[in-house]
């Protein structure tokens, strides 16, 4: 079955970077866009961007332009999301999702605190 | 900026039917697919409706989706409500630049 397994929780200091991974299984990794979505505590869902695992092409939400980088390693069917210049309001659960309208990862809690 | 507006909360009794609306701020909501997600407390979202009205395997047929062009809205209808349906529900579509847009979410209480 289709499954997305994300890396574990992270605690970072303000100004640092975080890189979250999302390992896919049960389908052809290069056949579907991978999206990244985050959810701050008690808040709604916020789209961060997407990557085409086949070409590596990316499309980032305006709010994250210049701070987010999405990459992939097709040899291990894994997508990555790196967010730099972390602030306290980046504290959130970060999700990967295979082609919106499909399967989501379990989420990765990123806490930004001094 | 294109926005999707949902009611903050709805409540209904077990066995009844509830409809959650998702209204587009501009353009035609029918121009792009709408997906619906269920999120139970402490869990990741899961897809309950994709491409306006399609149910993923495993989602009961009590869940249905529709589009109303006259009101520029999408709707998620849940019939035969069960206490396990109590959750947050989010609609999602795309703006004219193919950027992804989420609604603000609706908390469904089944009481």
């Amino acid at each position: 079955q289709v499954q997305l397994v994300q890396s574990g929780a992270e605690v970072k200091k303000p100004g640092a970077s975080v890189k979250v991974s999302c390992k896919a299984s049960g389908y052809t990794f290069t056949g579907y866009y991978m999206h990244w979505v985050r959810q701050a505590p008690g808040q709604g869902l916020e789209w961060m961007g997407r990557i085409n695992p086949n070409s590596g092409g990316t499309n980032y939400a305006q709010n994250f332009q210049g701070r987010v980088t999405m990459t992939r390693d097709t040899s291990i069917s894994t997508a990555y999301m790196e967010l730099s210049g972390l602030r306290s309001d980046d504290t959130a659960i970060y999700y990967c999702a295979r082609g919106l309208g499909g399967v989501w990862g379990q989420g990765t809690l990123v806490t930004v605190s001094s | 900026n294109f926005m999707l507006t949902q009611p903050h909360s709805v409540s209904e009794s077990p066995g009844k039917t509830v409809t959650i609306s998702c209204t587009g701020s501009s353009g035609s909501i029918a121009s792009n697919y709408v997906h619906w997600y269920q999120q139970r407390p402490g869990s990741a979202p899961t897809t309950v409706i994709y491409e306006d009205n399609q149910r993923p395997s495993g989602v009961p047929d009590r869940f249905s989706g529709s589009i109303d062009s006259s009101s520029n809205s999408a709707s998620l209808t849940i019939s035969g409500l069960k206490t396990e349906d109590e959750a947050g529900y989010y609609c999602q579509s795309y703006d004219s630049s193919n950027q992804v847009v989420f609604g603000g979410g609706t908390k469904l209480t089944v009481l």
Side-chain angles (χ1 to χ4, degrees):
Chain A
Q1 76 282 19
V2 175
Q3 200 171 9
L4 301 176
V5 178
Q6 299 183 222
S7 48
E10 304 261 13
V11 179
K12 296 292 183 181
K13 293 196 182 303
S17 297
V18 68
K19 190 170 185 176
V20 179
S21 68
C22 170
K23 182 168 178 58
S25 61
Y27 72 99
T28 301
F29 178 66
T30 52
Y32 297 83
Y33 278 83
M34 191 70 78
H35 295 256
W36 290 89
V37 177
R38 77 176 185 180
Q39 186 172 39
Q43 302 300 308
L45 302 173
E46 181 179 23
W47 183 70
M48 300 180 70
R50 63 182 158 229
I51 183 168
N52 179 337
N54 189 40
S55 66
T58 56
N59 183 206
Y60 301 138
Q62 206 164 7
N63 285 352
F64 297 96
Q65 290 274 3
R67 278 212 304 148
V68 70
T69 304
M70 295 177 188
T71 57
R72 91 291 189 217
D73 184 339
T74 56
S75 69
I76 55 172
S77 299
T78 300
Y80 303 92
M81 185 285 299
E82 184 170 20
L83 188 62
S84 61
L86 289 170
R87 309 182 291 250
S88 58
D89 62 359
D90 290 317
T91 293
I93 298 175
Y94 290 77
Y95 296 101
C96 58
R98 186 196 82 162
L100 290 173
V103 173
W104 292 53
Q106 85 277 17
T108 297
L109 175 62
V110 175
T111 303
V112 183
S113 174
S114 54
Chain B
N1 284 357
F2 180 70
M3 294 190 304
L4 294 170
T5 301
Q6 301 180 232
H8 182 69
S9 62
V10 296
S11 61
E12 191 48 272
S13 302
K16 299 291 191 180
T17 297
V18 70
T19 297
I20 298 172
S21 62
C22 170
T23 303
S25 61
S26 61
S28 171
I29 200 165
S31 299
N32 294 291
Y33 283 131
V34 176
H35 311 300
W36 289 90
Y37 306 99
Q38 176 192 68
Q39 187 178 33
R40 295 191 173 104
S43 296
T46 61
T47 302
V48 290
I49 293 290
Y50 68 97
E51 294 179 2
D52 298 341
N53 54 19
Q54 302 299 303
R55 273 189 315 277
S57 60
V59 173
D61 59 6
R62 301 185 296 105
F63 289 80
S64 63
S66 63
I67 300 292
D68 182 354
S69 296
S70 65
S71 59
N72 209 37
S73 294
S75 294
L76 172 69
T77 298
I78 310 171
S79 60
L81 275 170
K82 302 183 176 185
T83 54
E84 68 202 47
D85 298 331
E86 188 162 292
Y89 291 86
Y90 294 88
C91 61
Q92 176 259 306
S93 190
Y94 307 85
D95 67 14
S96 57
S97 302
N98 207 27
Q99 299 272 298
V100 172
V101 179
F102 283 97
T106 299
K107 178 177 169 53
L108 169 63
T109 302
V110 181
L111 38 64

